[in-house]
Amino acid sequence: QVQLVESGGGLVQPGGSLRLSCVASGRIFSIADMGWYRQAPGNQRELVATFTSDGDIYYADSVKGRFTISRDVAENTIYLQMNSLKPEDTAVYYCNLPQMGGLYWGQGTQVTVSS
């Protein structure tokens, strides 16, 4: 079994910052290609940032220069530092772990950017 638990969401004003965390536990083989997705009401879930299995990092164009993904391999944890937040960043943020042909998701953490 694999469990992913996100934390760090909340309400923030435009221009503010938040740092999300996602801890993976259970039968974890590698967090090499874990990533962050988000889903706003009425929208499809979209990729925000992810590590790739060949060691690269991908960012959606909408967050480049504002968001930074990082990880602590020893703790099976990834982070998403979000700066210069905009109202359009409001969404539920999910972490994702592809493993052994399966796809695991956390329960999500709500990020609301509003004045």
Side-chain angles (χ1 to χ4, degrees):
Q1 289 282 12
V2 173
Q3 296 83 39
L4 303 178
V5 178
E6 302 97 338
S7 61
L11 173 63
V12 64
Q13 292 187 343
S17 298
L18 284 174
R19 188 189 193 212
L20 306 184
S21 300
C22 173
V23 180
S25 61
R27 296 195 66 181
I28 306 299
F29 295 99
S30 172
I31 65 166
D33 45 7
M34 280 184 75
W36 288 98
Y37 288 69
R38 68 186 180 187
Q39 187 167 18
N43 290 358
Q44 290 188 334
R45 194 169 295 189
E46 63 175 358
L47 177 62
V48 175
T50 188
F51 294 98
T52 65
S53 55
D54 57 1
D56 287 334
I57 294 176
Y58 168 86
Y59 291 100
D61 287 343
S62 58
V63 307
K64 280 181 182 176
R66 301 188 298 121
F67 290 11
T68 303
I69 189 172
S70 61
R71 62 189 172 190
D72 183 337
V73 175
E75 297 295 327
N76 284 340
T77 301
I78 64 169
Y79 305 94
L80 186 67
Q81 178 66 43
M82 306 186 294
N83 298 328
S84 302
L85 282 161
K86 304 175 181 180
E88 51 263 44
D89 295 318
T90 295
V92 178
Y93 283 71
Y94 300 89
C95 62
N96 162 278
L97 171 63
Q99 178 168 285
M100 299 295 287
L103 205 57
Y104 296 92
W105 296 93
Q107 83 290 348
T109 185
Q110 176 70 47
V111 172
T112 302
V113 185
S114 175
S115 55

